Amino acid sequence: MKKFYLMSVMALAALAGVMGCAEDEGPSGPVAVTEIQLDKQSVEIVMGETAQLSAIVLPEDATDKTVLWTTSDREVATVNDNGMITAVAKGSASVTATSGKATAVCEVTVVGIPVESVVLDITDADILKGDSVRLTATVMPEDAEDTSCTWTSSDESIATVSDNGMVYGLALGEAVITVQAGNCEVTCNVTVSPVPVESVTLDRTECELIVGETVTLVAVVLPENAEDRTVTWSSSLPSVAAVDEDGLVIALAAGSAVVTAAAGDKKAECTVTVVESREPTIGDYYFSDGTVSGSLEDGRTPIGVIFRIFGNGDSAKIVSLDEALLPYSDMAGTSYALDEYDGAENQSTIMNLPPDMSSDWRSQYPAFRWCADREEGGLNWYLPAKMELKQIYAAANGLVWVESDADESKGEIDDWGDNTTMPGYDSGECSAAKASFSMKCSDAGGSPLSDGRYFSSTGKSYKLQAESVNFTNGMCAGFSKITESPVRAIAKVKLN
């Protein structure tokens, strides 16, 4: 019994010793987390980039200092087990660090990718007034949130710029064009210069005047928007041909002078030949007052161009400056006008048809009516006969018509027959002459020669056709009366 008691006392003593040692090491249970602190309470992150959060868990001797990271919106920002935040998309999210029962929150704002630079393809531009130039801006990085550009001009009275970088020059001077993207900007210095004259042309490059005559030269300065289109006139020999500030040339003495029209650094010239007197020649203008000249004259109205001179050189035939597109007749009936040489005779025949042949010649014969109704110069205009039409074609090609035994070396030609082309019509000389003859007509306010078939007044012996001359090659052949074709009128005149 005593032995059992002694052992019990010893056991209790030993237990007390053990408990005394445990109280020296700390409390009787685990140490709880009381607070967690983050190094950032808020953070702004560019989309696609990351930010590291650090957490401090208190007390330092907390038994379990494990931190759990969570996000309120994984579509905006994610966070891994180490507190690394990744920005996913624009927006806001809360990242929470939890340890035990303690939490700390960091407010995360995800923003778009900012513009880092903007570059222009042109930094100095020189444009003409009225012209434009496109500037191209390159914004980097390409995936920046907002790559839109804002364009401005320092002086919109000189140069404006559109929303897509198109710069327009309005007035002479300088302006600075600025393009801004995000917080970046770059400039282009723009100089607006005057539009220069590119060309000066005259309505003629040569003319012949008789002493005392005048002619006004017309200068065309291009482009029309050139800054200074003022024309300065001068003559190489004012004692022969003087010219005023409006281009009026006055023939003063026999000789030759070059009249120059200058604008900017461009010029055009006209060689003026002045003669005491001259004989009329094929290709001369015939004026309403009965005078003749190789060129248009101020104060006189041209009504035709001479295509043949006959008699003793005191008579001529002229062809109208303009033309019409008409049928010979509105019916394919009997041909009454058959003269091959004198269109005036044919015109008289048609105009005096008895009622049983024509109830109204004016409506039934449009080509004849158009010629007869002309009043220029008080002349008797008529539709040319076949031979007269050939004579016009020969004159237009720079050839002189003779009745027979033509001398080609003298530029003469006689009838080349029907259904055949005029000899030499396709030569360079003939082509140039025809172009010049056409220009004479158009320069005087008329129409250039057509390349089609011109009606003559000579009807064919059978009902359906009238004679025509093709002004492409001179071939004479029958052509349907009721078909519309070019028509010109001619008249006989006396030369003073």
Side-chain angles (χ1 to χ4, degrees), residues 71-244:
T71 177
S72 64
D73 192 339
R74 294 184 58 83
E75 293 184 357
V76 174
T78 61
V79 62
N80 66 10
D81 293 341
N82 298 316
M84 179 70 76
I85 301 172
T86 300
V88 178
K90 285 179 60 178
S92 299
S94 299
V95 171
T96 302
T98 302
S99 183
K101 294 183 178 181
T103 62
V105 177
C106 176
E107 299 297 336
V108 178
T109 302
V110 179
V111 296
I113 300 171
V115 172
E116 296 178 0
S117 67
V118 57
V119 178
L120 280 175
D121 59 335
I122 302 173
T123 55
D124 289 283
D126 192 339
I127 61 176
L128 300 177
K129 179 182 175 182
D131 282 355
S132 60
V133 62
R134 181 183 294 280
L135 303 182
T136 300
T138 301
V139 179
M140 296 298 291
E142 294 180 357
D143 58 350
E145 177 190 5
D146 184 3
T147 58
S148 62
C149 295
T150 302
W151 300 84
T152 57
S153 170
S154 65
D155 192 338
E156 293 192 343
S157 67
I158 292 176
T160 60
V161 61
S162 68
D163 291 341
N164 60 2
M166 184 68 77
V167 179
Y168 299 90
L170 303 181
L172 305 185
E174 297 181 351
V176 177
I177 303 300
T178 301
V179 59
Q180 183 174 12
N183 293 322
C184 301
E185 67 178 32
V186 67
T187 61
C188 174
N189 299 314
V190 175
T191 301
V192 181
S193 303
V195 178
V197 172
E198 295 178 1
S199 67
V200 179
T201 56
L202 290 173
D203 59 337
R204 67 194 73 193
T205 57
E206 59 182 22
C207 67
E208 183 179 271
L209 300 176
I210 298 173
V211 173
E213 289 183 335
T214 63
V215 64
T216 298
L217 300 180
V218 178
V220 177
V221 180
L222 294 176
E224 294 184 356
N225 64 335
E227 188 68 22
D228 186 0
R229 300 172 68 231
T230 303
V231 177
T232 302
W233 297 89
S234 62
S235 171
S236 64
L237 201 55
S239 61
V240 172
V243 62
D244 69 8

Side-chain angles (χ1 to χ4, degrees), residues 248-315:
L248 175 65
V249 179
I250 305 173
L252 300 177
S256 181
V258 176
V259 173
T260 301
D265 60 354
K266 305 298 180 181
K267 66 180 181 179
E269 297 177 342
C270 175
T271 300
V272 180
T273 302
V274 181
V275 295
E276 294 290 348
S277 63
R278 62 185 292 275
E279 294 296 324
T281 185
I282 291 173
D284 279 355
Y285 286 112
Y286 185 85
F287 296 90
S288 60
D289 62 0
T291 58
V292 174
S293 176
S295 58
L296 295 171
E297 303 294 339
D298 292 335
R300 288 190 283 175
T301 303
I303 60 174
V305 177
I306 295 175
F307 69 89
R308 191 169 184 224
I309 298 174
F310 57 95
N312 295 320
D314 59 353
S315 299

Side-chain angles (χ1 to χ4, degrees), residues 295-346:
S295 58
L296 295 171
E297 303 294 339
D298 292 335
R300 288 190 283 175
T301 303
I303 60 174
V305 177
I306 295 175
F307 69 89
R308 191 169 184 224
I309 298 174
F310 57 95
N312 295 320
D314 59 353
S315 299
K317 291 181 181 179
I318 63 173
V319 61
S320 62
L321 299 172
D322 60 341
E323 62 182 50
L325 193 65
L326 296 167
Y328 178 99
S329 173
D330 68 349
M331 57 185 181
T334 301
S335 295
Y336 301 110
L338 301 175
D339 198 303
E340 294 187 351
Y341 293 89
D342 190 356
E345 183 65 28
N346 290 331

Side-chain angles (χ1 to χ4, degrees), residues 335-381:
S335 295
Y336 301 110
L338 301 175
D339 198 303
E340 294 187 351
Y341 293 89
D342 190 356
E345 183 65 28
N346 290 331
Q347 184 89 18
S348 177
T349 297
I350 295 299
M351 293 173 64
N352 293 288
L353 287 174
D356 60 329
M357 294 182 181
S358 174
S359 59
D360 181 9
W361 75 269
R362 293 184 62 81
S363 62
Q364 292 174 346
Y365 293 90
F368 289 85
R369 181 193 68 239
W370 182 79
C371 295
D373 285 347
R374 303 181 72 88
E375 299 178 350
E376 297 99 324
L379 303 175
N380 294 318
W381 294 89

